[in-house]
Amino acid sequence: MTTHNASCSPIRPLWINPTSVYINKSCETTLYPKLCSKTLSKYAEKINSSPKILAMTALAATFNATQLTSKILRNLTRSRALKPGESVALLECVEEVSDAAYELQKSMKELKEARKGPEFYRQMDDVQTWVSAALTDDDTCMDDFTTVGRVRILARGFVLTIARLTSISLTFINNYAAV
């Protein structure tokens, strides 16, 4: 007769999904764990426990948020309530965010094609460089605003979110490159 020893088998509540645990543990390694978990938890089943898919999913979410931010900021430039300085800063910010989106798009393509082998480290170096450049573009956007005002505050909220998502993506890309 076989007896069941409860101490040998892990007891896990039914509502805890092991793939969600992977996402949460991974997100704890980032500078913005709450934003990370909130953004990526809905993709837990897709990600499973793959560092590459985690990096690719984070990068795709960042790219989508960056494109949306670019569109919102571009629409804001059409506001008649803008002061001349705000208008110029906003246009420059739109350009920086668009550059960031382009760099993230290149990164997504390169990361998707990355395979372990002789080219892997060069590919990962390119991805890391482009994602870092996107992060710099986000920072530069905020530098364009020299005056404090409602437009700067609004733009800052959007750009800060995409900068944080970019940082999260870079963490997962660095982790994947190190594997």
Side-chain angles (χ1 to χ4, degrees):
M1 180 171 139
T2 307
T3 59
H4 180 70
N5 183 346
S7 64
C8 292
S9 63
I11 298 175
R12 183 173 57 238
L14 295 175
W15 66 87
I16 295 181
N17 181 340
T19 54
S20 293
V21 171
Y22 175 74
I23 298 292
N24 290 333
K25 282 190 175 289
S26 298
C27 286
E28 288 173 8
T29 68
T30 71
L31 295 174
Y32 310 101
K34 286 181 184 175
L35 176 61
C36 178
S37 291
K38 179 182 173 192
T39 303
L40 297 176
S41 62
K42 58 186 152 230
Y43 305 107
E45 292 299 320
K46 174 186 169 190
I47 294 167
N48 198 356
S49 59
S50 167
K52 181 176 183 177
I53 296 173
L54 176 63
M56 288 173 50
T57 304
L59 199 52
T62 302
F63 173 72
N64 291 337
T66 302
Q67 280 194 305
L68 180 60
T69 296
S70 180
K71 184 178 180 179
I72 290 167
L73 295 178
R74 193 173 293 113
N75 287 339
L76 231 113
T77 64
R78 297 182 187 110
S79 171
R80 293 188 178 139
L82 291 176
K83 297 173 188 166
E86 289 176 330
S87 182
V88 170
L90 203 50
L91 285 169
E92 289 174 9
C93 185
V94 167
E95 187 175 328
E96 294 293 340
V97 172
S98 293
D99 288 349
Y102 174 70
E103 288 152 347
L104 293 168
Q105 188 174 35
K106 287 192 311 188
S107 299
M108 288 181 352
K109 183 179 184 291
E110 190 73 12
L111 183 58
K112 184 177 183 180
E113 295 172 2
R115 302 276 184 269
K116 297 290 183 179
E119 291 293 308
F120 179 76
Y121 293 105
R122 183 203 51 80
Q123 289 173 308
M124 293 310 298
D125 189 49
D126 287 347
V127 171
Q128 290 166 318
T129 298
W130 293 326
V131 174
S132 294
L135 194 54
T136 300
D137 290 333
D138 296 339
D139 289 342
T140 302
C141 166
M142 291 317 306
D143 292 342
D144 292 335
F145 290 94
T146 55
T147 60
V148 176
R150 59 184 170 73
V151 174
R152 180 182 190 268
I153 292 167
L154 182 63
R156 180 175 170 74
F158 286 110
V159 175
L160 202 55
T161 299
I162 62 172
R164 288 176 176 171
L165 289 170
T166 304
S167 170
I168 291 164
S169 294
L170 188 56
T171 297
F172 295 143
I173 290 163
N174 291 342
N175 291 347
Y176 176 62
V179 171

